[in-house]
């Protein structure tokens, strides 16, 4: 199938870029549950929390983000599910 040193016709090399944590780049230490504009960027249309692989967050910020989203849901600032 693939041979070393030869190009295979019709195959393109996939470029993989490292995802960076948006919250580390913006230097956000605390994530406020009342900031629904920021939190809504990390949930899907159906109301699910995006995984670390999809969002690119580091483990520390992903945990804080999940807690903030859950608190916002309990205060009815964010929906649990889609309507």
């Amino acid at each position: 199938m693939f041979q070393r040193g030869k190009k295979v016709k019709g195959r393109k090399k996939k470029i993989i870029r490292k995802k960076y944590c948006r919250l580390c780049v913006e230097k956000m230490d605390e994530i406020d549950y009342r900031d629904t504009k920021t939190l809504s960027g990390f949930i899907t249309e159906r109301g699910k929390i995006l995984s670390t692989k999809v969002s690119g967050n580091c483990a520390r910020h992903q945990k804080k983000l999940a807690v903030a989203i859950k608190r916002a849901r309990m205060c009815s600032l964010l929906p649990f599910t889609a309507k």
Side-chain angles (χ1 to χ4, degrees):
M1 185 173 193
F2 292 106
Q3 294 178 353
R4 189 174 288 179
K6 293 186 177 182
K7 284 188 176 179
V8 179
K9 190 174 182 179
R11 301 268 182 178
K12 291 186 180 181
K13 195 171 189 178
K14 188 174 182 181
I15 299 171
I16 300 172
R17 276 187 261 153
K18 187 177 185 308
K19 292 183 181 179
Y20 293 101
C21 179
R22 283 193 270 168
L23 304 171
C24 285
V25 171
E26 295 173 8
K27 298 187 179 184
M28 290 181 69
D29 292 331
E30 295 298 321
I31 301 168
D32 191 16
Y33 70 93
R34 291 171 284 181
D35 187 11
T36 57
K37 186 177 179 183
T38 304
L39 295 178
S40 62
F42 293 101
I43 59 173
T44 63
E45 309 85 42
R46 312 229 28 188
K48 294 182 179 181
I49 301 173
L50 289 176
S51 67
T52 304
K53 289 182 179 182
V54 176
S55 64
N57 292 330
C58 62
R60 176 180 42 175
H61 282 118
Q62 182 70 20
K63 182 64 181 169
K64 288 182 179 181
L65 189 70
V67 170
I69 290 172
K70 290 173 186 177
R71 284 183 181 161
R73 284 176 176 167
M74 291 303 291
C75 295
S76 70
L77 299 173
L78 289 176
F80 279 98
T81 58
K83 294 178 182 175

